[in-house]
Amino acid sequence: MAESAKQRIQQLRDELNHHNYLYHVLAKPQITDLEYDRLMKELEALEKQHPDLVTPDSPTQRIGGEPIDGFRSVEHAVRMMSIDNTYNEEEIRAFDERVKRGLAGEKYKYVVEPKIDGVAVSLRYEDSRLIVAATRGDGQKGDDVTANVKTIRSVPLKLHTGKNLPDILEVRGEIYMENAVFQAINQQRQEAGEETFANPRNFTAGTLKQLDPKIAAARKLRFVAHGLGQVHPEPDDSYWDYMHRLRELGFPLPQDFERCPDIEAVIKKIEFFAKIRGTLAYQTDGMVVKLDSLAQRAKLGVTSKAPRWVIAFKYPAEQVQTILKDVEWQVGKIGTLTPVARLKPVFVAGTTVSNASLHNIDQINKLDLHFGDTVVIEKAGEIIPQVVQVIIEKRPKHAEKVVSPQKCPSCGEKVEKEVDGPYIRCVNPACPAQLRERILSFIGRGQMYVEGLGEQIVDQLIAAGLLKGFADLYQLTEAQIANLTSEGEQNGKSVIRRVGEKNAAKIIKNIEATRALGLERLLAGLGIRHVGNRVAHVVANHFGSLDAIGAATTEQLAEVNEIGEVIAQSVHDFFSSPSGKAVVKSLKAASIDPKIDVTKKSNNLLLAGQTVVVTGTLEKYDRQQIEELIVKMGGKASGSVSKKTSFVVAGESAGSKLDKAKELGVPVLTEAEFLKKISQ
């Protein structure tokens, strides 16, 4: 009986995978959803009877397992870079001229494909099975979203079929939500009195970051392939040919995917697609133009931000008219008041828009904006709605002009406008809205990052009076956090979850871990105007302590390399102000007073003038920590290997960067060898 059950299980899996391929890749379904569900239920029942026969690549594993604790960070074997954009034909032709010069007379072809407005991911297959799915993240590292991606039926859990299957295959692509699904879910949420989502892309991104895979399974996301990461053995030279190979392996390709012999054919394709893209079932905002030959791509190379062999043509933003109902002023972390237009809802570029950016009071005055005006809305890059024009002829009689607020909408205190700028600010350091934004910035990535401490918990801690400043984070207890609640989703419905003792303990542990993050991360988190991570690094490593920075004059600050008069004045103003002094005093009272021994700085610059690339997983450091260490030692932390690279630090699972280093003869150090080198 067990043998017959094993045979039937395999037969059902093969049937379901075949019908998935027919539906999602070939768009030629042969059975109804009802018949598909019947096969799935039979397989589920058999696997329940024989749990020892369940495998990770079974179609039943798409349904979604138990909720996960969080998302681990994974390094991409090949960097996921962004793409340069253009909005006109002249720049497309200029791109072609650059390609022509770079290839020095070689013949070349292009591949043109729709730019789908979704979330970029990388799917890694080893021995034909899906091992990990990761978001792009910062290009070097992304979040592991495998549990949610496995619920997407257009993502093969196992490569479909064929001979000579690759040992390693990373498929890059876009996860997206079809317009009809998005609108239906939003309609359901609206009827249930729940918050709706702004657009399919945001909804997709939020779905991939759900801790419960069952939520992702219910939202019917889709995947389309549009590129390659690491592949072993290496693919043939033609991207066009290999993409069709991916189709054989089970991956859907974009509609209107075409190979063009020259730039004239590319432009014709772009013009054609402009006429039909509004009829597609999903959101697109342009066309991507790529060189077909992988060898020619390698010859052209990349810049620090994007490859030289690809460009995205973005279509002009759609414009519509609607009515301005109100203007709401929102308060940021340094007290900046940002105006947001509240509009009569209108459909534009695939989504319903009821809010739009107004930037600042100067923009409002430039538009001569009045309440009740008919305004023109467009989406910047088809993402962020903006008010770009007022139709004066349609202005109602006695319409009231939109003017600058005199008081902060959060605390009621007077506001001030910049003398030489367009921004209005609340200068009350106790403003509740500012406190919230400052805390969220302080605990954000790149600053004093506290994993697990999200907006909802921060809001509740502030409301309870437990969080009045940065230092209060270090006085929180597990009991205070455990009984707080957060909103989530389960089976498509909103639920309220208690944080609980286990999660509270993790949050307290993560808060305590920030004590070791150092002076520059603390400085970056204080919310000082003009002080980001780079400025914080420079200032921290020059002065070495909060006391030394606070004692420095504006002139002394301005003399520091990379620090000009504007930044110097901002830093000085913070540390000399009563509120700034109070922040420093409270942090010291909480034993948060990191220091750098600047007297040894000249002896520590062991990497001065050297460019270092880190690849793979290290034991003692994460990526940000080791790159900070390299910079502290006077070196430059780079994301790509070239002839100018001084050496590479390679950890476990080092990928293409290690191969590139060996090819170029660049020295490669283990983590232990690197640590020995910098301790000399």
Side-chain angles (χ1 to χ4, degrees):
M1 177 63 186
E3 188 61 31
S4 63
K6 182 178 181 180
Q7 291 174 351
R8 180 55 179 162
I9 284 173
Q10 189 57 53
Q11 182 183 12
L12 286 168
R13 289 175 182 170
D14 291 342
E15 282 190 57
L16 288 165
N17 286 332
H18 176 65
H19 288 300
N20 259 333
Y21 180 77
L22 291 174
Y23 183 91
H24 291 287
V25 179
L26 301 184
K28 295 178 179 178
Q30 291 182 351
I31 62 174
T32 65
D33 288 347
L34 187 63
E35 290 173 300
Y36 183 93
D37 291 341
R38 180 184 60 78
L39 294 172
M40 181 67 80
K41 287 178 181 177
E42 183 183 350
L43 178 59
E44 288 173 10
L46 281 171
E47 289 186 346
K48 188 173 183 180
Q49 294 170 17
H50 303 275
D52 56 311
L53 298 179
V54 177
T55 60
D57 57 1
S58 172
T60 60
Q61 301 308 294
R62 295 187 184 281
I63 297 171
E66 294 302 311
I68 60 177
D69 292 330
F71 298 95
R72 70 184 181 98
S73 181
V74 294
E75 183 172 2
H76 300 302
V78 177
R79 184 180 173 192
M80 293 183 72
M81 302 188 74
S82 57
I83 299 175
D84 286 335
N85 295 326
T86 180
Y87 293 86
N88 60 66
E89 181 181 321
E90 289 74 18
E91 291 182 0
I92 286 288
R93 293 186 184 279
F95 163 73
D96 181 59
E97 287 297 324
R98 293 194 296 272
V99 170
K100 186 182 300 183
R101 288 195 301 272
L103 296 180
E106 292 182 16
K107 292 183 178 181
Y108 55 92
K109 296 179 181 178
Y110 290 113
V111 174
V112 186
E113 59 196 42
K115 187 174 184 297
I116 297 175
D117 197 13
V119 177
V121 294
S122 181
L123 310 179
R124 184 177 177 89
Y125 292 78
E126 296 180 6
D127 296 325
S128 298
R129 286 176 168 79
L130 177 64
I131 301 300
V132 65
T135 60
R136 175 159 52 196
D138 63 3
Q140 301 284 0
K141 283 185 176 182
D143 289 326
D144 182 346
V145 290
T146 310
N148 286 330
V149 169
K150 285 177 68 175
T151 70
I152 302 172
R153 282 176 52 183
S154 50
V155 172
L157 302 181
K158 182 180 180 182
L159 298 184
H160 183 250
T161 185
K163 298 178 182 179
N164 302 319
L165 294 175
D167 301 324
I168 297 174
L169 173 64
E170 283 188 351
V171 178
R172 302 285 166 76
E174 210 78 9
I175 291 177
Y176 65 97
M177 180 179 288
E178 291 191 332
N179 296 334
V181 174
F182 170 72
Q183 292 169 1
I185 295 176
N186 252 358
Q187 181 67 29
Q188 293 170 4
R189 295 178 68 86
Q190 188 174 15
E191 291 172 355
E194 300 171 353
E195 182 181 0
T196 57
F197 291 84
N199 55 59
R201 186 192 183 284
N202 288 358
F203 203 173
T204 300
T207 299
L208 289 177
K209 295 307 294 287
Q210 290 286 339
L211 296 178
D212 188 349
K214 291 185 175 65
I215 296 173
R219 291 184 176 173
K220 301 179 181 178
L221 299 179
R222 288 177 174 262
F223 172 80
V224 64
H226 59 49
L228 299 169
Q230 184 181 21
V231 182
H232 185 271
E234 291 188 359
D236 295 333
D237 187 51
S238 171
Y239 167 72
W240 171 263
D241 291 344
Y242 206 85
M243 289 298 282
H244 285 83
R245 170 71 170 138
L246 290 184
R247 190 180 187 189
E248 295 174 357
L249 297 177
F251 298 94
L253 302 185
Q255 289 178 252
D256 291 281
F257 176 60
E258 187 173 316
R259 183 158 58 178
C260 298
D262 53 38
I263 199 65
E264 298 304 325
V266 167
I267 290 171
K268 286 181 180 178
K269 182 64 179 179
I270 289 171
E271 292 172 347
F272 168 78
F273 189 72
K275 299 173 183 177
I276 67 164
R277 71 187 187 100
T279 67
L280 300 179
Y282 47 82
Q283 292 292 299
T284 65
D285 58 1
M287 290 289 276
V288 181
V289 183
K290 306 175 179 178
L291 265 182
D292 181 34
S293 167
L294 302 184
Q296 289 178 336
R297 291 182 181 186
K299 182 175 290 188
L300 291 184
V302 301
T303 67
S304 61
K305 296 181 179 179
R308 294 188 176 95
W309 45 263
V310 60
I311 195 167
F313 179 89
K314 304 288 284 289
Y315 293 101
E318 179 185 348
Q319 293 188 339
V320 297
Q321 294 183 14
T322 187
I323 305 298
L324 176 69
K325 298 168 65 177
D326 199 1
V327 174
E328 179 180 314
W329 294 83
Q330 298 179 342
V331 186
K333 66 179 181 181
I334 58 173
T336 304
L337 272 61
T338 302
V340 177
R342 303 302 183 196
L343 308 166
K344 180 180 178 181
V346 62
F347 195 77
V348 54
T351 62
T352 300
V353 171
S354 55
N355 305 315
S357 173
L358 288 169
H359 303 293
N360 51 58
I361 189 62
D362 284 5
Q363 178 67 8
I364 288 174
N365 292 335
K366 182 179 178 181
L367 291 167
D368 187 28
L369 202 59
H370 287 60
F371 294 104
D373 270 346
T374 297
V375 295
V376 177
I377 305 298
E378 75 171 26
K379 286 187 178 180
E382 300 206 1
I383 298 174
I384 304 171
Q386 297 185 16
V387 177
V388 296
Q389 184 184 353
V390 173
I391 309 300
I392 302 295
E393 308 84 63
K394 295 185 178 182
R395 176 171 291 164
K397 289 183 178 180
H398 311 300
E400 186 178 342
K401 184 178 175 62
V402 179
V403 297
S404 172
Q406 301 302 306
K407 294 182 178 181
C408 172
S410 175
C411 65
E413 294 293 321
K414 288 184 178 180
V415 297
E416 297 178 0
K417 185 178 182 299
E418 289 181 337
V419 176
D420 55 351
Y423 297 105
I424 299 166
R425 289 190 171 84
C426 170
V427 294
N428 174 20
C431 175
Q434 289 185 61
L435 172 62
R436 177 185 190 272
E437 297 303 318
R438 285 200 302 270
I439 294 292
L440 291 174
S441 177
F442 184 80
I443 61 175
R445 291 183 184 271
Q447 286 74 253
M448 306 290 275
Y449 178 52
V450 180
E451 185 177 359
L453 191 56
E455 292 184 19
Q456 293 183 34
I457 296 176
V458 168
D459 287 342
Q460 292 176 76
L461 290 171
I462 291 174
L466 297 172
L467 204 52
K468 298 178 181 178
F470 305 138
D472 290 340
L473 286 164
Y474 302 93
Q475 310 302 322
L476 294 173
T477 65
E478 292 180 18
Q480 289 171 329
I481 296 175
N483 289 319
L484 300 176
T485 58
S486 63
E487 292 184 13
E489 281 196 17
Q490 189 169 351
N491 299 324
K493 295 182 179 180
S494 293
V495 295
I496 303 297
R497 293 192 179 97
R498 180 173 171 270
V499 173
E501 286 75 12
K502 182 179 178 181
N503 287 330
K506 287 182 179 179
I507 291 172
I508 293 298
K509 180 181 178 181
N510 291 338
I511 290 173
E512 286 300 307
T514 65
R515 293 179 181 274
L517 289 181
L519 179 60
E520 62 184 77
R521 293 279 287 269
L522 174 64
L523 193 59
L526 293 180
I528 304 171
R529 194 177 174 206
H530 303 307
V531 177
N533 293 85
R534 179 59 188 170
V535 170
H537 167 76
V538 172
V539 173
N541 282 276
H542 183 87
F543 291 99
S545 70
L546 292 173
D547 284 342
I549 299 170
T553 64
T554 306
E555 291 74 20
Q556 289 171 328
L557 287 160
E559 288 174 358
V560 178
N561 186 36
E562 298 186 46
I563 307 300
E565 293 181 3
V566 173
I567 296 175
Q569 190 64 56
S570 181
V571 173
H572 183 267
D573 287 349
F574 175 85
F575 279 93
S576 61
S577 69
S579 58
K581 290 178 178 178
V583 166
V584 172
K585 182 178 180 181
S586 64
L587 286 169
K588 286 183 176 181
S591 300
I592 307 298
D593 189 17
K595 294 179 172 63
I596 298 172
D597 189 352
V598 296
T599 62
K600 296 182 180 180
K601 184 173 61 173
S602 59
N603 295 326
N604 283 340
L605 296 181
L606 298 176
L607 302 180
Q610 299 187 57
T611 299
V612 184
V613 174
V614 181
T615 184
T617 303
L618 305 181
E619 292 183 10
K620 298 182 180 296
Y621 298 95
D622 63 23
R623 172 58 60 86
Q624 184 164 353
Q625 288 172 333
I626 195 166
E627 289 188 348
E628 287 175 354
L629 178 60
I630 290 166
V631 173
K632 286 178 182 177
M633 292 289 182
K636 175 184 176 183
S638 176
S640 59
V641 179
S642 71
K643 292 181 179 179
K644 296 181 179 179
T645 303
S646 304
F647 62 89
V648 169
V649 180
E652 290 186 8
S653 303
S656 60
K657 295 176 187 176
L658 177 58
D659 295 337
K660 185 72 171 179
K662 291 177 179 178
E663 178 187 331
L664 296 175
V666 174
V668 178
L669 305 183
T670 65
E671 182 180 8
E673 290 170 335
F674 171 73
L675 293 176
K676 183 178 180 180
K677 178 182 179 69
I678 63 174
S679 64
Q680 294 174 351

